[in-house]
Amino acid sequence: MNTILLDQLRAVVGEAGVLAGSEVCSRYPGFFMSEIGADAIVRPASVEQVSQVMALCNAVRQPVVIQGGMSGWVRATQTRAGEIALSLERLNAIEEVDLANRTATVQAGVVLETFQNHVDGYGLSFPLDLGGRGSCQLGGNAATNAGGMRVIRYGMMREQVLGLEAVLPDGRIVSSMNRMIKNNTGYDLKQLFIGSEGTLGVITRLVLRLRERPTSSNTAMVCADSFDQLSRLLRHMDGALGGQLSAFELIDNNFYRVNTGAGRHAAPLPSDKPFYAIIEALGSDQEHDTRSFEQALGLGLEQGLCSDAIIARSERERQGIWAIREDLEHLVREFQPFYAFDVSLAVGHMEAYMREVAARLRARWPQGAIAFLGHVGDGNLHIAIGAGGEHDRHAVESCVYEPLRSIGGSVSAEHGIGLEKAPWFPISRNEIERTLMQSIKQTLDPNGILNPGKIFAAVAAGNA
């Protein structure tokens, strides 16, 4: 580690703003990583400090990896020896909630759940919601274009961001803190940074769009004999609920059995069906919306779009249903070695795709385990696999990714590419697209210091 640079960084962020040695090793490295390999962690407390840190690092071509809540699953925040981790945890202020315009200005280190609870006090909601809400940070949500459970109604993080501020690798601050829904003046520069996984700049502040807080909620779990039933039920419920459908979550029989086994979550429906789904609608009139929800679901049952259904009659029952979907502890423990995947494809291809992936896995590892779940309402499948061994990662990944090639699927729906999916990136993006992306990277980060190696092989730091 360049000790002169380290001293310069301490002069910018203070002694408490730089962690080194054992202080680095003791930090949480992320779910799928064993340790933080960086030489140091730098924790700026203002955008000006971020700017100075980046300028200093760029001058000596010091690689920098941006870290948020460390809840990502593709190793986009993984650090190696010789790198510095830039943590945004101290940029955690909710600066303003604008009630008239229904927007909020926040710093990038604000935790999603903290923000959700804060705006709830104003009678507003921030609709992005995902299992990692208690640790993920809003800047990371933007950098990865996070999705979650309510994409079917509200869209991904990209749709929630009106403006942002970012620091370029050379320290320049790009302030595009737009507060308007409509602003058609030239290139929408914020979109460069949303979904870029920290490879183009450091997101430091955001202007976020808020919605009126729903005052009614209806949740049900259904089961079906075929995936075709569920896909038709999705269309039926979306049409019948007049825009209130907020979640349609798939759970297959393997996942359902694991989480409703003895001593685990209570099983609201029999465990002999191949597919289950959680359906949730949010609205503004509990009595009216409940009646509409029940009528829509009842009609779906009459038309044979599902085999059985149960509606939550209390918040406790609602939480019990969602716990079956969100609890991954038992799956991770039982599916060993554990691999998690996040793919996207047209709903019409899903059933055949699931069959092919399962068949490929069984052919290679007859005793292997597999489970499917995900946000089927927006074409996103999550896949949990317990198979293979220490040296079989590529073979397991091949079972999941290769079938996407012929159907135009994506190897990443909402977690990004990071280091993990870089070898499979060409399945989802053609050569011209990848070349253009690399040109943008070269323009904004010519020294290749930001998140080197993530998404694709960029210019190596020190070799520009």
Side-chain angles (χ1 to χ4, degrees):
M1 178 69 208
N2 187 325
T3 56
I4 296 176
L5 175 61
L6 207 57
D7 289 340
Q8 291 174 325
L9 295 174
R10 286 194 178 98
V12 172
V13 301
E15 285 291 331
V18 175
L19 306 179
S22 60
E23 293 177 310
V24 173
C25 300
S26 64
R27 302 268 292 190
Y28 176 60
F31 190 78
F32 288 107
M33 294 174 283
S34 59
E35 63 179 3
I36 296 178
D39 292 348
I41 300 175
V42 181
R43 306 185 303 149
S46 69
V47 63
E48 291 77 20
Q49 288 185 2
V50 175
S51 174
Q52 293 177 62
V53 166
M54 291 309 305
L56 287 170
C57 290
N58 191 61
V60 296
R61 302 186 178 185
Q62 168 63 52
V64 176
V65 176
I66 308 164
Q67 294 186 341
M70 307 297 285
S71 55
W73 281 27
V74 295
R75 296 188 292 141
T77 57
Q78 181 171 326
T79 55
R80 296 165 285 200
E83 296 176 340
I84 285 177
L86 182 70
S87 171
L88 300 179
E89 64 195 83
R90 296 172 73 190
L91 277 77
N92 58 8
I94 300 172
E95 297 179 356
E96 179 189 27
V97 174
D98 183 339
L99 297 180
N101 293 305
R102 289 183 295 184
T103 66
T105 303
V106 301
Q107 293 181 343
V110 174
V111 172
L112 173 59
E113 188 172 42
T114 300
F115 181 59
Q116 290 173 326
N117 293 337
H118 184 83
V119 300
D120 183 72
Y122 292 91
L124 297 169
S125 73
F126 184 65
L128 180 78
D129 196 32
L130 50 148
R133 66 183 71 85
S135 59
C136 64
Q137 297 174 5
L138 294 169
N141 294 151
T144 58
N145 190 27
M149 272 80 78
R150 296 177 180 168
V151 170
I152 187 174
R153 178 168 176 179
Y154 297 102
M156 297 181 72
M157 184 66 170
R158 191 179 301 280
E159 280 71 48
Q160 321 309 324
V161 180
L162 296 177
L164 61 73
E165 172 187 84
V167 177
L168 297 180
D170 61 8
R172 286 179 293 165
I173 300 172
V174 179
S175 184
S176 187
M177 297 290 281
N178 171 72
R179 295 168 179 263
M180 298 166 288
I181 294 174
K182 292 183 174 181
N183 184 353
N184 235 357
T185 51
Y187 302 145
D188 190 356
L189 294 178
K190 70 176 182 289
Q191 301 296 351
L192 279 175
F193 303 100
I194 299 174
S196 68
E197 301 180 48
T199 61
L200 301 180
V202 185
I203 297 174
T204 49
R205 295 166 72 222
L206 299 151
V207 179
L208 299 175
R209 184 182 182 186
L210 304 177
R211 316 296 174 106
E212 294 300 317
R213 182 183 63 198
T215 55
S216 77
S217 173
N218 287 283
T219 304
M221 174 173 275
V222 304
C223 58
D225 293 308
S226 71
F227 185 85
D228 180 65
Q229 278 182 293
L230 287 186
S231 65
R232 288 186 289 132
L233 180 64
L234 167 62
R235 287 194 61 194
H236 163 73
M237 294 299 288
D238 198 13
L241 293 175
Q244 290 189 351
L245 183 64
S246 301
F248 197 100
E249 295 285 301
L250 173 75
I251 300 172
D252 80 346
N253 181 269
N254 292 336
F255 189 91
Y256 188 76
R257 282 179 175 272
V258 167
N259 270 2
T260 59
R264 297 176 183 177
H265 301 286
L269 293 171
S271 57
D272 60 346
K273 298 298 181 181
F275 297 106
Y276 300 78
I278 298 173
I279 306 170
E280 187 162 274
L282 303 176
S284 59
D285 184 329
Q286 189 66 58
E287 183 177 349
H288 174 271
D289 295 340
T290 297
R291 186 163 57 248
S292 298
F293 189 80
E294 291 175 348
Q295 289 174 350
L297 193 55
L299 185 58
L301 276 164
E302 290 177 13
Q303 295 178 352
L305 305 182
C306 57
S307 304
D308 199 357
I310 185 168
I311 296 176
R313 297 301 182 185
S314 67
E315 178 61 22
R316 180 178 179 181
E317 290 182 2
R318 175 189 174 276
Q319 291 179 1
I321 287 175
W322 275 109
I324 296 171
R325 162 64 177 82
E326 294 191 336
D327 187 357
L328 298 178
E329 177 185 351
H330 306 298
L331 203 73
V332 172
R333 186 169 62 247
E334 292 187 12
F335 282 30
Q336 288 295 324
F338 181 74
Y339 298 93
F341 299 91
D342 155 54
V343 301
S344 184
L345 63 156
V347 175
H349 289 307
M350 278 190 177
E351 187 169 20
Y353 169 78
M354 288 188 283
R355 284 199 303 266
E356 182 173 354
V357 171
R360 283 171 175 251
L361 190 76
R362 285 194 300 269
R364 180 72 182 267
W365 297 280
Q367 304 305 314
I370 186 169
F372 295 92
L373 63 153
H375 322 301
V376 67
D378 55 50
N380 181 188
L381 274 181
H382 295 297
I383 308 167
I385 290 176
E390 182 180 353
H391 304 294
D392 293 322
R393 168 173 285 276
H394 185 84
V396 174
E397 291 174 342
S398 180
C399 292
V400 173
Y401 295 140
E402 284 297 340
L404 294 169
R405 194 183 297 273
S406 62
I407 58 175
S410 171
V411 299
S412 178
E414 58 182 359
H415 289 294
I417 297 298
L419 290 173
E420 183 176 301
K421 299 188 179 185
W424 304 100
F425 191 35
I427 286 180
S428 302
R429 295 292 191 179
N430 62 48
E431 184 178 358
I432 293 177
E433 288 178 303
R434 300 195 308 273
T435 300
L436 182 57
M437 291 181 193
Q438 289 178 308
S439 296
I440 295 171
K441 169 71 170 175
Q442 178 69 30
T443 298
L444 296 183
D445 185 17
N447 291 330
I449 69 166
L450 265 184
N451 267 16
K454 311 297 167 58
I455 303 181
F456 41 67
V459 177
N463 294 325

